Amino acid sequence: IIMKTAAFASLIAGAAAFAPSKSSSRSSALQMSFENELGAQPPLGFFDPLGLVADGDQEKFDRLRGVEIKHGRICMLGVVGYLVNKAGIYLPGDISTDGTKFSDLGSGWDASFAVPVPGALQVLAFCGALELVGWKQAEGSFPGDFSASSFPVGWVGADDPETQEDYRAKELNQGRAAQMGMLALMVHDKLGNVDDLLPWLPSN
């Protein structure tokens, strides 16, 4: 009797595991609210494998989207900066009062570790100033709209809402690609085979 009871309980438990979950259905319904957001497009559509916005919190979604856009912008600059330095193009002058020139730094990881402490502090201070008092998110606007900043920021040529949305979608996609590209450059720079991947650079 005990064995039969245990077997029956196991069958019930197994069936329950495949039964529709109310919380799962609710989570899916909440995620549906973001499926039409900018950036949710083929082939992945709305992609949230970690369930970060499974609760349907619009404020959290906007904050994460703002972070995504900011990281994308940084990486777009980072990829261009990496390629420019790799091609042997540098800012003129010194990066530090000890006489270290920008051209002395090299590129990639080597350049990161070659920056003198005073120079690194200048970069940190500049980025901190932009973050704290420079870039300002416009209240009530879409994430990444820094038109409330202390210096003029806008969308060049976006004279109508449709054009602006098209520009925003392109920026978002290019930012995502740049994040992957920056990661790939960092990995291959560490492996030492960037020159093999980018033989077209003038320095090669």
Side-chain angles (χ1 to χ4, degrees):
I1 295 177
I2 295 176
M3 291 297 294
K4 290 181 179 179
T5 303
F8 182 67
S10 298
L11 288 173
I12 293 177
F18 291 95
S21 169
K22 291 184 178 180
S23 60
S24 176
S25 300
R26 179 174 177 271
S27 174
S28 299
L30 288 171
Q31 286 192 4
M32 289 287 287
S33 62
F34 300 125
E35 287 192 349
N36 294 322
E37 288 283 351
L38 193 72
Q41 58 195 40
L44 295 179
F46 177 67
F47 187 65
D48 182 24
L50 298 181
L52 297 178
V53 290
D55 56 2
D57 188 332
Q58 184 68 46
E59 184 177 350
K60 184 196 294 183
F61 176 87
D62 289 343
R63 180 176 61 81
L64 292 174
R65 171 53 55 82
V67 170
E68 178 187 20
I69 291 173
K70 184 180 292 185
H71 287 175
R73 290 170 176 172
I74 291 170
C75 286
M76 284 190 276
L77 290 171
V79 169
V80 172
Y82 183 98
L83 296 177
V84 167
N85 283 166
K86 192 67 178 173
I89 303 171
Y90 299 92
L91 291 172
D94 301 339
I95 190 175
S96 177
T97 55
D98 64 2
T100 302
K101 300 181 181 299
F102 286 99
S103 57
D104 296 333
L105 300 179
S107 63
W109 285 107
D110 291 340
S112 300
F113 291 110
V115 176
V117 173
L121 291 176
Q122 291 179 53
V123 173
L124 181 63
F126 178 70
C127 293
L130 287 178
E131 183 72 20
L132 297 175
V133 300
W135 305 115
K136 292 294 182 183
Q137 170 68 39
E139 290 291 336
S141 186
F142 55 84
D145 179 8
F146 291 157
S147 59
S149 302
S150 54
F151 40 83
V153 178
W155 295 88
V156 179
D159 300 324
D160 58 84
E162 290 185 3
T163 303
Q164 186 183 84
E165 184 169 353
D166 179 59
Y167 283 7
R168 288 175 56 206
K170 289 177 179 176
E171 181 195 29
L172 189 57
N173 284 332
Q174 290 169 3
R176 289 168 174 172
Q179 290 177 71
M180 299 300 293
M182 191 73 250
L183 178 60
L185 284 173
M186 292 168 65
V187 170
H188 286 286
D189 185 273
K190 202 66 176 175
L191 293 174
N193 62 350
V194 173
D195 291 344
D196 297 330
L197 297 174
L198 307 174
W200 44 267
L201 284 174
S203 63
N204 296 329

